[in-house]
Amino acid sequence: MPKHIGIIMDGNGRWASERGLPRTEGHVAGAKVFRRISDYCHEIGIDVVTFYAFSTENWRRPPTEVAALMKLFKENLIEADEIKYDRQKGGYILRFIGDTSAIPNELQKLVSKTQLDAIDENTTVINIALNYGGRQEILHSVKQIAERVERGELKASKITAEDIAAGLYTAGQPDPDLIIRPSGELRLSNFLTYQSAYSELYFSNVLWPDFTTDDLDEAILDYAKRNRRFGGV
Ligand code: IPE
Ligand code: IPE
Ligand code: MG
């Protein structure tokens, strides 16, 4: 079983277009699938699941679509807070990764509230990548290291790969074992760039709003057959 699964929730727009609906309806349908898959990952005992919800490049979309997405994130967070996924119901907690300083204020407040929820060994951590970019994340970590060097706390020759990892948003979490991308695109689109060095990749043609727990099972079964060598023999 993978300990950490990354999921690129892609294909919402195409799903809506196929039905003659506005793209935002695809995002609404995609958010429901996000909740279903989160519940299921907790049921089957996955430790960490990272969902790619909004990339640093997604600001290039029309302002109306961006606004609709932010509204949807807010509604989902309020709902998550009301039913207390973390303790009583779902047994999972939400964490946010990405530069959340650039998202609307109201959403920022909800995000910081979730960061207070405690983790125990039965909790599934659901990372939501919001205004997330893998390159930007590495840059953010490198700047922190450079500041330590400037202050004379660290010698440049002593910087390790662990120092870089420790400055990432996922610090302390295992790297993703499996990254799933539905919708037929064969790329990572700036998702978990540093952490995915040895991830197993799984691509599927299903559009995210159509993605089911059976599709997830299929991906995990495929993963179980892989031979991970990490450079060894
Ligand atoms: C993923 O679906 C959702 C976000 C990127 C926020 P898309 O909106 O990218 O859907 P397609 O790729 O256009 O079908
Ligand atoms: C990746 O999907 C980002 C998210 C799913 C949030 P995109 O739809 O933005 O990726 P590209 O543009 O096809 O690479
Ligand atoms: Mg897309």
Side-chain angles (χ1 to χ4, degrees):
M1 279 299 264
K3 282 193 165 51
H4 181 175
I5 302 179
I7 302 181
I8 301 174
M9 302 189 282
D10 197 19
N12 295 349
R14 279 163 282 172
W15 181 91
S17 301
E18 278 176 6
R19 285 161 180 76
L21 298 168
R23 291 177 56 85
T24 49
E25 286 305 312
H27 299 315
V28 171
K32 290 194 183 114
V33 175
F34 157 74
R35 289 197 293 277
R36 177 78 197 98
I37 298 296
S38 298
D39 285 339
Y40 186 66
C41 285
H42 174 66
E43 270 167 51
I44 62 174
I46 308 293
D47 293 341
V48 185
V49 191
T50 302
F51 289 95
Y52 204 3
F54 193 87
S55 76
T56 43
E57 289 71 39
N58 287 147
W59 298 106
R60 292 179 188 152
R61 297 187 178 205
T64 48
E65 181 171 343
V66 171
L69 279 163
M70 294 299 154
K71 184 165 168 268
L72 201 55
F73 297 146
K74 201 179 105 189
E75 285 166 2
N76 266 281
L77 269 172
I78 291 169
E79 191 187 330
D81 194 49
E82 277 167 2
I83 58 178
K84 292 282 178 250
Y85 279 138
D86 48 328
R87 288 168 288 273
Q88 292 92 5
K89 191 185 171 271
Y92 63 77
I93 60 157
L94 303 180
R95 283 284 186 269
F96 286 82
I97 64 169
D99 178 9
T100 47
S101 69
I103 61 172
N105 262 332
E106 259 183 310
L107 192 53
Q108 269 184 49
K109 277 188 206 138
L110 289 163
V111 164
S112 39
K113 216 170 150 191
T114 63
Q115 310 297 76
L116 301 173
D117 294 327
I119 304 174
D120 68 42
E121 74 270 25
N122 297 319
T123 316
T124 294
V125 176
I126 305 286
N127 292 321
I128 301 176
L130 192 55
N131 193 23
Y132 174 88
R135 288 182 172 176
Q136 290 79 350
E137 181 185 36
I138 295 168
L139 179 65
H140 173 76
S141 174
V142 167
K143 279 185 179 167
Q144 286 175 295
I145 294 170
E147 281 165 14
R148 283 168 63 199
V149 173
E150 267 181 4
R151 289 197 298 265
E153 294 167 13
L154 183 67
K155 288 187 81 171
S157 60
K158 297 279 187 225
I159 299 170
T160 63
E162 285 71 31
D163 290 325
I164 299 175
L168 303 177
Y169 300 117
T170 53
Q173 298 180 351
D175 283 340
D177 300 296
L178 170 64
I179 294 180
I180 300 172
R181 182 167 195 160
S183 93
E185 307 297 355
L186 307 178
R187 55 178 172 265
L188 292 177
S189 302
N190 211 7
F191 185 51
L192 300 177
T193 307
Y194 190 88
Q195 301 88 330
S196 63
Y198 272 101
S199 301
E200 295 295 330
L201 308 179
Y202 182 88
F203 297 103
S204 142
N205 287 325
V206 175
L207 300 173
W208 177 250
D210 289 328
F211 197 87
T212 64
T213 55
D214 285 345
D215 293 314
L216 185 68
D217 283 342
E218 213 175 289
I220 293 172
L221 281 173
D222 195 84
Y223 166 83
K225 286 187 245 153
R226 312 263 181 108
N227 182 4
R228 303 186 78 190
R229 284 186 291 273
F230 299 98
V233 286

